Amino acid sequence: MPGDDVLAFDDFIYGTSAVYSSSFLDGPLAELESYSIQATVDTFSQNTLTIQLETSADGRHWMPKNPGVPEISVSFGAGATVSSFGEDVGARPALALARLRLQLLSSGGVRVRVYVRQGPSARFTPLAIAPRAWLRADLGVTTDGTGGVSTWRDLTANGFDATQGTATRRPRLATPSQLVGGQPAVYFDASSSGSEKIMSMASSLAGFTAGHAFVVFRRSVQPPPSALRAGFWRLGTSGLDTQIPDISGNIQDDTGSTTRRNLGTAPSLTSSAHCFESRSAASAWSAYLNGQSLGSSGANTVGFSAAPDIGGDWNVGSFYDGAIAEIVLFDRILVASERSRLVQYLKARYLMPSFP
């Protein structure tokens, strides 16, 4: 089974009662170190499907392997064919058997085909859902002779490269102790006044009439020791900087907006990987950390920066201490099925099992 696609489920589901993968897979599923799951749904009505990996010692008493975090959660409209991808990135189940639990949120009917294979999925990248900008630290990074990152290339070819022409201002590739979820990252250091590290994007975002931003990061210092070391990026137009967090421990963000909002106290962000997500549209703004809502507002004017920065805000003069592994920017708000695919990809890549 390792390395091969195995059909785990192929049938119709009606109503809201849970159904399960074939019992002949209980043993083989439990042998895998990690899972890539692809579900294709032929829909008859609008609904939401969740797929949860469960384990058992005796085949009678089952429990979720990752309680509260379905491996796939996908919403869809009527009359469509939708593919969704998910992974389980934890260790092999401690119990002897494993199965997949499938359930619809609302009454209705769908046909579902689920394939499982060992290892992370190579089928999905953010390019599949057409971002305007995609920066990932293991791809498209150019360094100078001293290891400074001079260019961080936009993988969409839309021209949103991040650059830094001044050698003393260039961030560096993360060392092994600075990785984000075990993955490469670009490391920004704001500890030296006058040579804080920051990059500017080559193209304006001002033409965006809506936007959805994701960034995977890990701070090195929390809270920031000064306001000058509290910056993160400049993607909004409030005239104030995004701070994750500020010196008081609160998250402040204006991504894609003319208004900066106080989003409350940040949890510890110095260990493991974290994903900050911000959405901006006319009369609708919201932000999330690791999939959990930080706040929202129905009063919003879209405002994306004409001179976007990563690793701080040149205008305010505040800079970031920590690593950034991946940035994905859209000029629209993702629909639920698109967001689900992206979240599952980030969850698997950066070992974020608690990210819903």
Side-chain angles (χ1 to χ4, degrees), residues 1-269:
M1 182 171 180
D4 298 324
D5 285 331
V6 174
L7 184 62
F9 187 89
D10 184 6
D11 207 344
F12 292 90
I13 299 177
Y14 296 99
T16 58
S17 297
V19 296
Y20 302 91
S21 58
S22 300
S23 59
F24 77 86
L25 286 172
D26 292 349
L29 282 176
E31 295 175 2
L32 300 186
E33 293 287 353
S34 59
Y35 300 80
S36 296
I37 304 170
Q38 177 186 354
T40 300
V41 184
D42 295 319
T43 74
F44 308 135
S45 59
Q46 181 174 325
N47 219 315
T48 297
L49 170 71
T50 59
I51 301 179
Q52 179 87 63
L53 181 63
E54 296 185 336
T55 62
S56 173
D58 57 11
R60 296 175 55 209
H61 302 91
W62 295 85
M63 64 178 60
K65 183 170 182 291
N66 301 298
V69 186
E71 278 62 49
I72 287 179
S73 179
V74 57
S75 299
F76 42 79
T81 298
V82 178
S83 291
S84 185
F85 297 82
E87 282 91 5
D88 171 70
V89 298
R92 179 184 298 173
L95 302 180
L97 301 173
R99 69 182 184 185
L100 299 176
R101 181 181 191 270
L102 298 85
Q103 190 165 19
L104 293 175
L105 179 65
S106 306
S107 59
V110 299
R111 177 169 182 173
V112 184
R113 291 176 298 280
V114 182
Y115 290 90
V116 179
R117 65 181 294 146
Q118 177 163 304
S121 174
R123 300 172 183 270
F124 175 82
T125 73
L127 294 178
I129 50 177
R132 286 300 303 277
W134 176 32
L135 287 76
R136 202 173 86 177
D138 63 333
L139 301 169
V141 172
T142 300
T143 58
D144 60 24
T146 65
V149 177
S150 57
T151 302
W152 192 359
R153 186 166 59 86
D154 170 21
L155 298 173
T156 70
N158 287 327
F160 292 98
D161 298 348
T163 62
Q164 176 52 264
T166 302
T168 57
R169 291 286 195 172
R170 290 171 180 164
R172 306 179 72 84
L173 288 176
T175 65
S177 65
Q178 297 165 346
L179 299 179
V180 176
Q183 297 294 335
V186 175
Y187 187 79
F188 296 82
D189 182 355
S191 62
S192 179
S193 178
S195 59
E196 299 94 339
K197 314 309 178 190
I198 188 170
M199 304 189 80
S200 296
M201 297 185 80
S203 298
S204 168
L205 305 178
F208 286 21
T209 57
H212 203 155
F214 296 80
V215 56
V216 180
F217 70 101
R218 178 163 70 100
R219 285 202 66 95
S220 61
V221 179
Q222 187 177 349
S226 71
L228 297 182
R229 296 174 66 179
F232 189 78
W233 62 15
R234 181 172 70 209
L235 296 187
T237 58
S238 70
L240 302 170
D241 53 336
T242 290
Q243 302 180 340
I244 310 178
D246 63 15
I247 58 175
S248 299
N250 294 321
I251 296 176
Q252 309 270 358
D253 184 50
D254 72 340
T255 297
S257 180
T258 60
T259 301
R260 187 177 75 168
R261 296 168 176 86
N262 188 327
L263 301 174
T265 304
S268 174
L269 302 172

